[in-house]
Amino acid sequence: MRKKIVAGNWKMNNTLSQSISLVENIIKLLKEKPIMQSELCVVIAPPFISLEKVGNMINGHKEVFLSAQNCHSEIKGAYTGEVSVPMLKEIGCNYVIIGHSERRAYFNENDETLAKKTNALLKEDLIPIFCCGELLIERQAGNQEKIVKSQLNNALFHLSKEQIKKVVIAYEPVWAIGTGVTATSAQAQEMHAFIRKVIAEKYGTDCAEEITILYGGSCNAKNAQELFANADVDGGLIGGASLIAEDFINIIHANK
Ligand code: PEP
């Protein structure tokens, strides 16, 4: 059975003290309402400066993992302000979100860079959460499949079968991120099935069936259950709703 994940992307929210109190609440609520499925895990992606502290706090909770929101593709060097994969690994990160639409839009992250970041992460045994998804204008033109296929092709399809199996894919239609407009359950399933089909064409059905594909885009405690009930939706990458402990816990428990 493939892994199910609910990941919280805190973006540039929460100071260190706020991060501590949010994680305390999440852990407290998870103790009251534990996860009963062995294949379900929780991933928390706080800002860089809170990673080490949050990592220490979740240590011992075997279903909760630490993620960064970005990394550099080089191991080290003269890249002022950047953070490398070995740095993230040493402080306990298991996952790193790459290719988020905000990074693509505001920081010129492109598929070529993402291919390099993916390589750097897999080399250090960290799991990339690779975000892909179309803009509103691209969906309106009916080009969502073409766009997502090209993102996968350009950033991931140089990997071997063994390597790509380790990647988590997050389908995040850009028009749904932070807008309150969620993809319908049918739209999410359609795109997830499409992503799995494209992977199957390149790597075989067995490989495609093993890959975890998350939905992201205004997923909340109210709509999560319906979205996660789809056969090809293995969980969610949650932005705004992951900042409220109770909502995040309800979303985790919606992933049955
Ligand atoms: C995200 O940032 O990945 C995201 C899905 O945000 P939101 O849930 O706020 O739409």
Side-chain angles (χ1 to χ4, degrees):
M1 192 178 250
R2 59 180 175 254
K3 196 162 52 176
K4 293 180 177 187
I5 297 174
V6 174
N9 173 18
W10 293 1
K11 311 192 189 194
M12 198 176 71
N13 293 296
N14 290 332
T15 61
L16 180 58
S17 60
Q18 289 166 337
S19 297
I20 291 168
S21 105
L22 179 52
V23 175
E24 274 170 358
N25 282 333
I26 291 171
I27 290 172
K28 179 174 148 285
L29 293 172
L30 274 178
K31 279 189 186 147
E32 287 168 18
K33 225 176 155 193
I35 294 174
M36 305 307 270
Q37 310 167 75
S38 57
E39 73 277 13
L40 174 59
C41 48
V42 176
V43 174
I44 297 178
F48 281 134
I49 64 127
S50 299
L51 278 171
E52 191 174 7
K53 183 68 189 170
V54 170
N56 291 337
M57 291 174 75
I58 62 173
N59 205 356
H61 299 270
K62 62 179 187 353
E63 72 285 22
V64 188
F65 297 86
L66 189 66
S67 176
Q69 299 174 16
N70 180 33
C71 64
H72 197 273
S73 57
E74 296 296 327
I75 300 295
K76 63 176 187 170
Y79 301 100
T80 302
E82 291 293 316
V83 176
S84 76
V85 177
M87 292 171 190
L88 297 172
K89 183 175 179 174
E90 192 182 287
I91 59 162
C93 283
N94 309 100
Y95 292 81
V96 177
I97 298 169
I98 56 169
H100 192 281
S101 65
E102 288 151 15
R103 295 214 56 89
R104 289 179 191 257
Y106 309 139
F107 303 97
N108 300 322
E109 191 146 288
N110 59 30
D111 291 333
E112 196 188 327
T113 319
L114 291 169
K116 290 186 192 153
K117 290 188 179 189
T118 304
N119 295 344
L121 287 164
L122 292 176
K123 194 156 171 251
E124 294 289 338
D125 282 327
L126 265 67
I127 302 172
I129 300 179
F130 173 80
C131 302
C132 57
E134 78 285 356
L135 303 170
L136 181 58
I137 189 172
E138 292 164 339
R139 178 162 280 265
Q140 284 167 338
N143 287 334
Q144 62 271 21
E145 292 189 349
K146 196 172 125 208
I147 294 296
V148 169
K149 187 172 181 178
S150 95
Q151 290 169 337
L152 296 170
N153 194 39
N154 296 339
L156 296 184
F157 282 4
H158 63 287
L159 298 173
S160 70
K161 188 169 174 172
E162 285 319 305
Q163 285 176 315
I164 198 157
K165 277 186 195 172
K166 296 179 183 150
V167 176
V168 170
I169 294 175
Y171 169 62
E172 299 208 305
V174 181
W175 46 271
I177 298 178
T179 58
V181 180
T182 318
T184 63
S185 175
Q187 284 172 325
Q189 169 57 22
E190 194 177 44
M191 285 305 288
H192 282 231
F194 172 75
I195 290 169
R196 217 177 286 290
K197 179 174 89 93
V198 170
I199 297 169
E201 282 164 5
K202 169 84 180 167
Y203 293 99
T205 312
D206 57 327
C207 176
E209 284 301 320
E210 278 188 46
I211 294 181
T212 297
I213 308 178
L214 309 179
Y215 168 78
S218 298
C219 182
N220 58 40
K222 290 204 179 98
N223 59 30
Q225 197 170 358
E226 193 187 341
L227 288 161
F228 298 167
N230 287 300
D232 288 293
V233 179
D234 304 312
L237 178 54
I238 318 299
S242 72
L243 299 171
I244 301 158
E246 291 76 11
D247 286 1
F248 190 52
I249 297 298
N250 287 334
I251 296 170
I252 293 166
H253 286 290
N255 199 0
K256 296 256 172 352

